[in-house]
Amino acid sequence: MENTPQKAQGQGRRKLIEFAMILPFGGAILVGLPLLWPAAGGASDRGVSTSSAMIYLFSAWFVMIVLASWLSWRLRRYQADD
Amino acid sequence: MTKHILLIEDEPNIIEAITFILLRKGIKVDAHSNGASALETVKSTNPDAVILDVMLPNRSGFDILQDIREDTDFAEIPVMMLTARGQTKDRERAMELGATAYMTKPFSNSDVIEAITALLEGA
Amino acid sequence: MFSTDILIGVSLIYVAFLFAVAFLAERANQRGRAKWLRSPLTYTLSLSVYCTAWTFYGAVGFAARSGLEFLTIYLGPTGVLIGWWWVLRRLVRIGRAERITSIADLISSRFGKSTSLGWIVTVLAVIGTTPYIALQLQSVTLSLAVFGQGDGAVNVNADATALWVAAGLAVFTIVFGTRNLDVNERHSGVVMAIAVEAVVKLLALLAVGVFVVWGLAGGIGPTLNLIDTSPIADWSVPTGRWIGLTFLSAAAFLCLPRMYQVLVVENSDERHLATAGWAFPFYLLLMSLFVVPIAVVGLKMMPAGANPDLFVLTLPLSAGQNELAVFAFLGGFSSATSMVIVAAIALSTMVSNHIVTPIWLRAAGEGATVSGDIRSVVILSRRLSIAAILGLGYVYYRLSGGGAALAAIGLISFAGVAQVLPVMLGGIFWRGATRIGAAAGLIAGFLVWAYTMFLPSVGTGMFLSDSILNNGLFGLHWLKPRALFGISDLDPVLHAVFWSLLINTLVFVIGSLLTNPTPLERMQAFQFITAFDSGASPRSWRSGAAESEDLLLMAQRILGATEAQKLFRRFAQDQGIEGYLPSPTPAFLDDLERALAGSVGSATAHAMVGQMVAGSAVTVEDLMAVADETAQIMEYSHQLETKSAELTSTATQLRDANEKLMQLSVQKDAFLSQISHELRTPMTSIRSFSEILQDKGLKAADRVKYATIISDETQRLTRLLDDLLDLSVLENGQVTLNIETGTLGQVLDQALAATDIKGQVTVLRPKSRESLSITTDLDRLAQVVINLITNAAKYCDAVKPQLKILARETDTGIEVDFIDNGSGVPRGKRDLIFEKFARISDEAKAGSAGLGLAICREIMTNLGGSIEYLPGQKGAAFRLRLPHQPTV
C-alpha cells in the first residue's frame, strides 16, 4: 500500500471525526440500557436496586467522559499539526 | 496728469516697496492681491499700465494676462510681468501671451523705475 | 447558632468579592493581558449557568421523590456536549461567522434577517424565562428562611429579601453586562464571575456530599445500604419520562437564551468546544454524584414532612455544621445569581435588538442611521430591559405567592424555550426552511405549550377555568389541556412536550414546503448550511451607491469611533488602499453589516446598511449562482473571485504607484520653482528696501519701519532654510533622535506653551489619558504637535474655533487625535496636504511655506509612527500614532 504520511494523517483524522460523531449514539445506548431492566413489582419479584443502577449509570457516564477527553486530545493534536 | 498703474501682487512688503519708489517718481499705484478678481479690478481702476505677479492665490498671473488680452478694451494696455520664476520657459510663455515686459525678482529699484517709465511712454 | 444578619453579611461580602473579580477581569481584558480569561477551563465553567438553584437544591428533592430520574436533567446536556461535533460546532461556527448576538438573532438572521421572527423568539424567551428568574429569587429567600427558623428570631421578610436580591442582581448585570457596546458582545468580567461561582457551587455541593456520606452515613458501604433500604430503593423509572426528560433537557440546553449566550456569544475560540465536550459532562457528573446520598440520608434523618428541596442546607444545620451550611448557602446563592445575571444579559440583548431598536429606528425616521446617537439608545434600552426583566421576575414571584407552584416551573420553562428547537435545527440543516414556516411553527408550538402546560400550571381560575381544564375548550373533550385528542394517560409533562413539539414541527415543515423563501432568506440559508465549506459565498449587496465616508459616520455611531476606524482601516488595507475609506464593494458592505450585527442584531444592521445604499440589495437574478449549486460552479466562481480580488487589489496598487510617480516628476519641477519662489520673495523685499534705505532724504520713522521689514524677511529666509535642511535630514533618515521617557501631557503642555494661539483657537483636552507614558524623542514630538496646533489656529474657519486633543492607548502604542471644528480639508486635497509646499487653503498665509505637515510626516516616520488625515470628523482631523517603544 502506498500511504503517504499526509494521507495516513488525513485518514486518521477522518476516523477520529467519525468516532466523534458516533460517540453520542453509543452514550445514548449505554444510558438507555437500564430501561430494559426489570422494574420492581414486575414479573421477577425483585427489580434492580437504585444503588446498583446508580453505580452503573455513573460508570457509563464516566467512560463516556474519558472517551470524549481522549478524542478531544487527539483532535487537538491534529489541529495543531495543520 | 499723474499716471497710475495697477500692481497685482500678494506679498505686502513688495507692494509697499514698489508703491514707495514709484510714488516718489509721481506715479500712483493701486494694489490688488487676489488672482480671482484681478480682471474686474483692471476694469474698475482702468490703469495706464499693469505690473503682474505670476504666483498668485486662486489664479495664476499667466491666466490673468490672457484674460486681459482677451478683453478688447485692454488688449493694448502695457503689462509687465514681475516674477520670482526666472526660468527661460516662463519668460517665453509670458511673451507669447502678450506681456510687454518681463522682470525677475529680486529686482533693483532703478530697473523697475526705468522699465515702468518706458512702458508708460510707449503707451 | 448565629443570626441571619451574619448570613446576610457573608452574602454581601461574597457579592463584593464577585464585583471585584468581575472588575479585575474586565480591566485585565482591556489591557489585553488576559489570555487565561479566555481559557477552555473558563469557558467550561461558564457553561455551568445551566446548573441553577433549581438543580442545586431541587435535584435532591427530585431524587427524594422519584429516585434516579433526576439524572435525565444532566444526561441530556451531556449528550449534547459529547455530540458537540453535530450541533454545537455548527452553532458556534455560524454564531461567530455571522456575529449572532442571541438565539433570537440566530433565528431572525437565518430566515432573511426577519424582524418579526426575532420579535417572536424574544417574546417567547421572556415568557419562558421570567418564571425561572422568579424561581431563583424564591430559592434565595427560602434558603435564607431556613437559617431564620433555626435562629428562632423573627422570620426574614421574604418579599423584601427577594426585592433586594432582584435589585442587587440588576445593578451587577447593568454594571458588567452593559458597560460598553462590545463588537463581539463578550463580557469577560461577567464570565469570570460566573466561572468563580461555578467553582463555589461545585465545591459546596461536594463538601455537603462528603460530609453526608462520611460524616453522617459512615462511609460508602453504609451509604449504599442506606440507599437500598430507602423509599427510593428500587430502579423504577418510567421509560417515557426517562427518554422524554433527557430529550427535553438536551433541547433546553441548546435553546435556553442564557445557554446560547455562554455557549456561542461568549465563546472566544472554537477549539474550546472540544475541551468543554468532555469537561462539562464531568462537571455535571460531579454535581450529581452526591445527590442520591444526600436525598436518602435526608429522608432518614430529617423529620417527616421536612422539605427535601432544602436537605442540602438542613442536613448540615441539624448536625450543627453551621459553617458548612453557610458554604452550602453560598453555593445555592451562586447558582441562583449566575443564572439570573446571564439570563438578564441574554434577554436584554434580545429585547433591545429585536424590539426596542427596530421601533426606535422606525419612529426616528429615515435620517436616524446617520444623525441619531444609536449607541446610547441601545445601551439605555439594554439597561432598562435588564431592570424590567428582573422586575418582571419579582412580580411573578409575588403573584405566584412564592409557593409550591414554582417548583414545577423548571420543566415548564424548559418546554417553553424548547419550542425554538425545530426551527433552530431546521435552520442549520434544512435549506428549504422558510420564514413563514418558522413563524407559524413557533407560534403554533408556543400556543400548544401555553395551553397544555403553562396556563394549567399557573392554577385554575387565573387564566383557565375549571371547566376548560376538565371538559376541554368550548366543552370539546378532545381539547382538554391535559389530554389532547383523548390521550389521557400520558404523564402531563410528556403530554405537553410531545404535542407542542410535534405540532410545532409539523406546522414548520408544512409551512416551509408551501412557501417560497425570499432571496435574502435563500442566501442566509446557504451561509448557515454551508458554514464549514469555505468557498463562494454570495453577497447580499451589489456595489453600493453609498459614500464610504457616510458609512464610516454611521459605523462610528454604532461601534464607537475607535472600533469603526480600526475596522475601516483594515478593510481599506485589504483592498490595497491607504487610509480609512475603502471602496464600497459588495464584500465590504457584507462585512460591515456583519460587524454592525454584532452590536445591534442582524435585522437592524441589515435595515441600516439598506438605508445607506438604497436600491443595492441583492435580487433574484443576483442569486442565480446560489440556486445553481453544483460544486464545479462554486469552485470556479470561488477561484474567479479570488483572482479578481487579487487583480483588483494589484490594479489599485499599480494605479496608485503610477499616479505617485507621475506626481513625483511633476512635483520635482514644481519643487524647484517653489524653492526659487520662496527664496526670491523675501530677497526681493530685502534688496528693494536696502536700496531705499540708501536714499538720504528718508524720514526717521520710515527708516525704522523699513529696517524692521528687512530684518523680518531675513528671519523668514532663515526659517525657510532651516525647514528645508530639517526636512532633508529627516528624509534621509540621518536625524539623531534624543529618546526620553515622559508623559503625553508634558509634551502637549510644552507644545502649547511654545505656540501663541490665545484667542485664536480654544484647545480642549480631556486629561484622563494624558498620563500615558511615552518613550520617544519628546522634543520632536512636541514639534509635530506645535505644527498641528498652529495649523488649527491658522486654518480653522469656525466662528469659535476649537481644537480637541484626544489620546488613547491601543494594542500597538498610543494614538492622539487633533480634531478642529472648522470645515475640514476637502476630500480631493487630503492626499496632497502632506506634500512639500502644499497649502491646505488657497489663501497664502504669512510666513507659511507649506512645509509644516511634510516635516510632521517625516518626524513621525522617524519616530516609528505615522500621521494621517482622519476622515469622518466634522472638521480637519489628524491622527498621530506612536509605538510603545521606538523602533531602532
Side-chain angles (χ1 to χ4, degrees):
Chain A
M1 301 298 280
E2 37 176 3
N3 258 353
T4 61
Q6 276 99 356
K7 224 178 189 176
Q9 198 186 20
Q11 275 174 3
R13 183 158 192 265
R14 202 162 53 242
K15 288 257 176 273
L16 276 182
I17 289 171
E18 278 160 7
F19 188 66
M21 291 169 90
I22 288 168
L23 194 61
F25 297 99
I29 292 169
L30 277 182
V31 169
L33 218 52
L35 293 174
L36 301 174
W37 293 345
S44 53
D45 55 339
R46 184 89 169 84
V48 176
S49 71
T50 293
S51 59
S52 29
M54 191 174 111
I55 292 170
Y56 167 78
L57 281 171
F58 276 96
S59 314
W61 199 348
F62 191 70
V63 168
M64 296 307 297
I65 290 166
V66 170
L67 285 178
S69 71
W70 174 79
L71 204 65
S72 137
W73 174 70
R74 287 296 305 273
L75 272 174
R76 193 162 41 216
R77 265 198 16 197
Y78 276 110
Q79 273 168 349
D81 286 348
D82 281 351
Chain B
M1 188 184 118
T2 41
K3 299 273 184 184
H4 93 267
I5 63 158
L6 177 65
L7 169 62
I8 305 178
E9 164 68 67
D10 62 332
E11 273 293 322
N13 288 340
I14 296 180
I15 294 174
E16 173 132 24
I18 291 179
T19 311
F20 182 84
I21 54 180
L22 289 185
L23 204 58
R24 284 204 306 195
K25 297 291 165 199
I27 302 168
K28 195 167 156 284
V29 177
D30 286 324
H32 178 84
S33 59
N34 190 350
S37 48
L39 184 62
E40 281 74 59
T41 318
V42 172
K43 283 180 181 166
S44 61
T45 51
N46 193 17
D48 295 307
V50 177
I51 303 180
L52 186 53
D53 186 17
V54 172
M55 284 186 158
L56 287 166
N58 296 331
R59 197 159 172 77
S60 92
F62 291 134
D63 292 340
I64 297 170
L65 176 59
Q66 201 164 6
D67 293 344
I68 294 175
R69 290 293 179 238
E70 275 166 11
D71 192 308
T72 43
D73 290 346
F74 300 101
E76 299 299 322
I77 190 173
V79 175
M80 179 171 87
M81 303 300 284
L82 178 63
T83 172
R85 295 167 71 130
Q87 287 169 329
T88 343
K89 63 174 186 188
D90 291 323
R91 176 187 290 268
E92 280 165 5
R93 179 149 177 229
M95 290 313 182
E96 265 168 38
L97 287 171
T100 326
Y102 189 92
M103 182 171 283
T104 53
K105 295 176 188 171
F107 46 77
S108 121
N109 291 353
S110 51
D111 287 351
V112 174
I113 295 167
E114 216 168 275
I116 293 296
T117 319
L119 277 190
L120 291 175
E121 275 164 9
Chain C
M1 285 308 254
F2 56 95
S3 73
T4 36
D5 290 342
I6 295 180
L7 194 63
I8 290 172
V10 170
S11 316
L12 286 180
I13 292 172
Y14 181 63
V15 169
F17 166 69
L18 288 180
F19 264 92
V21 166
F23 176 74
L24 291 176
E26 198 136 283
R27 212 174 59 174
N29 186 42
Q30 272 167 3
R31 295 189 177 171
R33 49 179 108 107
K35 282 231 173 81
W36 51 274
L37 275 180
R38 304 209 177 116
S39 68
L41 180 68
T42 317
Y43 178 66
T44 306
L45 287 174
S46 73
L47 298 189
S48 78
V49 288
Y50 177 76
C51 303
T52 64
W54 180 53
T55 48
F56 188 86
Y57 293 121
V60 173
F62 200 154
R65 283 183 281 266
S66 334
L68 284 170
E69 199 182 284
F70 82 95
L71 277 180
T72 52
I73 303 302
Y74 297 104
L75 290 176
T78 300
V80 171
L81 273 163
I82 292 206
W84 62 277
W85 196 270
W86 284 100
V87 178
L88 283 183
R89 192 176 63 111
R90 213 163 247 281
L91 279 181
V92 171
R93 171 66 62 92
I94 293 169
R96 291 167 58 89
E98 302 283 317
R99 305 285 194 112
I100 305 289
T101 56
S102 66
I103 181 102
D105 197 23
L106 176 82
I107 306 295
S108 150
S109 174
R110 160 61 180 83
F111 295 99
K113 306 179 185 183
S114 149
T115 312
S116 49
L117 266 181
W119 191 87
I120 293 174
V121 178
T122 302
V123 170
L124 213 156
V126 170
I127 295 179
T129 311
T130 308
Y132 214 107
I133 291 176
L135 181 62
Q136 309 304 315
L137 297 178
Q138 185 199 29
S139 79
V140 175
T141 54
L142 269 184
S143 53
L144 261 178
V146 166
F147 286 87
Q149 281 156 11
D151 196 5
V154 192
N155 244 347
V156 189
N157 183 342
D159 293 342
T161 315
L163 187 61
W164 278 110
V165 172
L169 287 172
V171 169
F172 183 91
T173 315
I174 287 172
V175 168
F176 292 102
T178 63
R179 171 167 295 187
N180 45 17
L181 203 52
D182 189 11
V183 211
N184 300 312
E185 209 48 65
R186 292 196 193 116
H187 310 86
S188 39
V190 172
V191 169
M192 203 60 220
I194 301 298
V196 169
E197 291 197 303
V199 175
V200 169
K201 64 194 181 198
L202 179 62
L203 290 182
L205 205 55
L206 288 179
V208 173
V210 167
F211 168 71
V212 165
V213 169
W214 280 277
L216 294 178
I220 298 177
T223 308
L224 289 179
N225 285 335
L226 211 56
I227 294 174
D228 286 338
T229 55
S230 71
I232 52 166
D234 292 323
W235 164 261
S236 58
V237 177
T239 307
R241 273 180 73 91
W242 184 256
I243 298 176
L245 291 185
T246 308
F247 170 77
L248 182 60
S249 64
F253 189 77
L254 286 170
C255 298
L256 282 167
R258 67 172 189 277
M259 290 318 295
Y260 191 86
Q261 179 80 25
V262 286
L263 271 171
V264 181
V265 181
E266 307 282 357
N267 175 293
S268 56
D269 187 340
E270 237 174 88
R271 282 170 301 179
H272 291 172
L273 211 47
T275 307
W278 64 268
F280 189 62
F282 189 55
Y283 183 91
L284 292 177
L285 182 145
L286 292 177
M287 282 296 280
S288 44
L289 197 55
F290 289 108
V291 167
V292 172
I294 296 174
V296 294
V297 171
L299 284 174
K300 182 156 186 289
M301 300 183 70
M302 298 304 291
N307 184 358
D309 281 334
L310 292 169
F311 280 169
V312 175
L313 287 177
T314 47
L315 271 178
L317 268 183
S318 69
Q321 296 283 337
N322 288 333
E323 291 76 13
L324 185 60
V326 171
F327 191 31
F329 170 79
L330 285 184
F333 185 73
S334 299
S335 314
T337 51
S338 56
M339 178 271 161
V340 176
I341 290 166
V342 179
I345 290 180
L347 287 181
S348 73
T349 308
M350 287 159 75
V351 169
S352 107
N353 284 358
H354 298 283
I355 297 181
V356 180
T357 318
I359 292 177
W360 180 80
L361 273 182
R362 198 161 302 171
E366 284 276 308
T369 25
V370 187
S371 62
D373 187 357
I374 297 160
R375 275 166 75 77
S376 60
V377 170
V378 171
I379 288 186
L380 182 68
S381 82
R382 285 201 188 164
R383 291 183 176 159
L384 292 177
S385 309
I386 288 171
I389 287 160
L390 282 164
L392 217 56
Y394 176 71
V395 168
Y396 191 95
Y397 164 79
R398 289 294 303 270
L399 284 182
S400 67
L406 271 181
I409 280 296
L411 286 177
I412 296 173
S413 183
F414 273 24
V417 293
Q419 298 308 321
V420 179
L421 186 74
V423 172
M424 178 166 112
L425 293 183
I428 61 176
F429 289 111
W430 182 31
R431 197 183 284 242
T434 70
R435 189 182 77 228
I436 294 172
L442 278 173
I443 293 172
F446 177 69
L447 289 178
V448 175
W449 167 76
Y451 183 64
T452 58
M453 204 172 188
F454 183 61
L455 295 182
S457 82
V458 183
T460 51
M462 194 88 156
F463 297 101
L464 291 182
S465 68
D466 270 336
S467 83
I468 291 181
L469 207 57
N470 295 325
N471 302 321
L473 195 62
F474 315 121
L476 297 170
H477 274 275
W478 58 275
L479 277 181
K480 271 200 273 186
R482 283 185 170 151
L484 283 186
F485 306 106
I487 299 176
S488 56
D489 45 2
L490 212 53
D491 175 80
V493 174
L494 272 188
H495 173 268
V497 170
F498 174 75
W499 282 117
S500 60
L501 282 177
L502 182 72
I503 293 173
N504 177 338
T505 312
L506 277 179
V507 171
F508 169 47
V509 170
I510 294 171
S512 296
L513 291 176
L514 291 179
T515 52
N516 286 321
T518 62
L520 192 57
E521 268 180 85
R522 267 182 217 227
M523 206 161 55
Q524 287 301 99
F526 182 84
Q527 304 267 33
F528 274 51
I529 287 159
T530 59
F532 286 92
D533 315 324
S534 55
S537 57
R539 305 292 184 194
S540 53
W541 301 105
R542 290 185 281 165
S543 270
E547 283 276 4
S548 293
E549 184 152 15
D550 296 336
L551 291 169
L552 177 59
L553 276 172
M554 174 183 75
Q556 287 185 138
R557 293 212 149 75
I558 301 173
L559 305 173
T562 322
E563 278 303 328
Q565 285 155 11
K566 218 193 267 174
L567 191 77
F568 273 62
R569 194 182 159 80
R570 210 183 59 229
F571 285 138
Q573 273 171 355
D574 289 348
Q575 293 181 1
I577 297 171
E578 276 181 38
Y580 290 88
L581 297 178
S583 37
T585 59
F588 167 57
L589 289 175
D590 257 15
D591 288 349
L592 174 64
E593 184 191 318
R594 217 162 278 153
L596 298 181
S599 287
V600 291
S602 51
T604 308
H606 187 72
M608 286 176 160
V609 176
Q611 280 188 11
M612 305 294 293
V613 293
S616 302
V618 80
T619 63
V620 180
E621 290 77 44
D622 295 332
L623 282 174
M624 288 306 280
V626 187
D628 201 349
E629 287 151 15
T630 63
Q632 282 149 325
I633 287 193
M634 283 203 1
E635 182 56 26
Y636 182 60
S637 75
H638 175 50
Q639 285 174 358
L640 270 183
E641 190 171 322
T642 322
K643 282 215 179 95
S644 91
E646 270 171 26
L647 277 177
T648 317
S649 162
T650 317
T652 315
Q653 282 167 1
L654 265 179
R655 203 173 52 227
D656 283 358
N658 194 23
E659 251 167 44
K660 264 255 150 71
L661 268 180
M662 302 243 298
Q663 278 177 1
L664 272 181
S665 145
V666 173
Q667 272 168 16
K668 199 194 70 193
D669 287 352
F671 181 62
L672 284 175
S673 300
Q674 281 285 5
I675 292 233
S676 156
H677 179 263
E678 297 297 334
L679 288 173
R680 280 166 189 260
T681 303
M683 301 252 278
T684 308
S685 306
I686 292 169
R687 178 165 179 192
S688 187
F689 282 113
S690 24
E691 284 180 18
I692 292 172
L693 282 182
Q694 287 165 11
D695 285 2
K696 299 269 154 29
L698 215 55
K699 279 184 264 171
D702 281 347
R703 199 176 289 276
V704 171
K705 186 175 159 198
Y706 296 151
T708 313
I709 290 178
I710 291 176
S711 157
D712 285 349
E713 292 286 1
T714 319
Q715 277 173 29
R716 175 174 163 190
L717 208 51
T718 319
R719 209 162 49 232
L720 176 69
L721 289 172
D722 282 347
D723 278 357
L724 277 173
L725 275 177
D726 206 12
L727 198 57
S728 135
V729 168
L730 286 164
E731 277 182 342
N732 295 327
Q734 296 162 334
V735 61
T736 330
L737 295 176
N738 175 22
I739 305 288
E740 293 168 287
T741 301
T743 67
L744 183 63
Q746 285 170 2
V747 175
L748 295 184
D749 289 340
Q750 184 194 338
L752 277 169
T755 48
D756 184 23
I757 49 155
K758 280 221 179 71
Q760 289 182 67
V761 61
T762 320
V763 176
L764 304 174
R765 291 168 58 185
K767 305 240 174 180
S768 57
R769 286 268 161 197
E770 287 187 9
S771 55
L772 286 174
S773 157
I774 42 176
T775 303
T776 189
D777 188 325
L778 298 179
D779 292 333
R780 282 294 190 177
L781 185 60
Q783 192 185 345
V784 174
V785 175
I786 290 171
N787 239 303
L788 291 175
I789 295 174
T790 23
N791 269 356
K794 267 187 216 161
Y795 300 111
C796 179
D797 51 4
V799 186
K800 280 186 186 158
Q802 285 182 342
L803 178 68
K804 251 190 304 186
I805 306 182
L806 303 171
R808 77 187 65 80
E809 196 168 13
T810 65
D811 300 342
T812 50
I814 59 163
E815 286 178 0
V816 194
D817 293 349
F818 294 78
I819 304 169
D820 73 27
N821 60 344
S823 52
V825 179
R827 270 178 212 183
K829 299 212 168 168
R830 289 175 191 167
D831 291 341
L832 292 175
I833 50 179
F834 293 107
E835 301 302 336
K836 291 180 280 274
F837 298 114
R839 284 197 185 93
I840 298 178
S841 83
D842 287 322
E843 308 274 329
K845 302 274 171 159
S848 149
L851 288 175
L853 284 173
I855 291 178
C856 287
R857 187 175 63 175
E858 290 304 329
I859 292 179
M860 291 311 291
T861 312
N862 274 285
L863 296 181
S866 63
I867 177 170
E868 287 161 313
Y869 189 78
L870 191 62
Q873 312 296 325
K874 291 260 160 52
F878 294 90
R879 168 167 293 175
L880 303 184
R881 298 156 164 277
L882 264 186
H884 283 304
Q885 292 295 325
T887 44
V888 184

